[in-house]
Amino acid sequence: MSPRIDRTDVFKLQPGLVTALSSLGEAAGRVIDAPLVHLLHLRISQLNGCAFCQHMHAAEARHDGEQQQRLDVLAAWQETHFFSARERAALRWAEALTLLAGQQVSDDVYSELTAQFSQQEIVNLSAVIVTMNAWNRIAVGFQFQPQLTAG
């Protein structure tokens, strides 16, 4: 078997990939609050089993002031009271779109979403989710590895 393409080579071989995904993520992120975007990035990366992205987005969230306690329980967000109704609706939407294969998005999930977000926000939330899923597939597929930092 041939060796995997190195992480830096992936983006050298297709520089438009970084440009396109970054542009979409940044445009959508301007409409959605940064703390929520961090939660979505991290939860989607958990669902997709992307260690590289989990490591990166948890660090970004902490850097931007997210509480470690909330990050610690994000995988079990439905069992806690740490997240607002708005965050819960967005997390449920992210899970529904990320785990879409073989199932429909329920009317209940969409109704919960529309109770918390405008149409423009819903489209932009969806763009954040789609973008993160794309990044995860690249990172998992090419086995990107997080770097352990001293601490």
Side-chain angles (χ1 to χ4, degrees), residues 39-91:
L39 290 177
L40 294 174
H41 284 171
L42 186 53
R43 182 61 186 133
I44 293 162
S45 297
Q46 289 172 342
L47 293 169
N48 288 324
C50 185
F52 179 84
C53 294
Q54 288 179 58
H55 178 78
M56 178 175 58
H57 293 296
E60 288 174 352
R62 282 190 300 274
H63 179 267
D64 287 348
E66 182 58 74
Q67 297 173 36
Q68 184 61 49
Q69 192 174 17
R70 285 172 26 110
L71 297 177
D72 290 343
V73 298
L74 183 59
W77 64 269
Q78 294 182 47
E79 299 176 28
T80 73
H81 299 290
F82 291 0
F83 303 95
S84 69
R86 187 171 166 88
E87 290 168 332
R88 295 171 75 77
L91 288 165

Side-chain angles (χ1 to χ4, degrees), residues 16-32:
L17 187 63
V18 174
T19 303
L21 291 177
S22 295
S23 293
L24 179 58
E26 289 168 11
R30 284 193 289 272
V31 176
I32 308 301

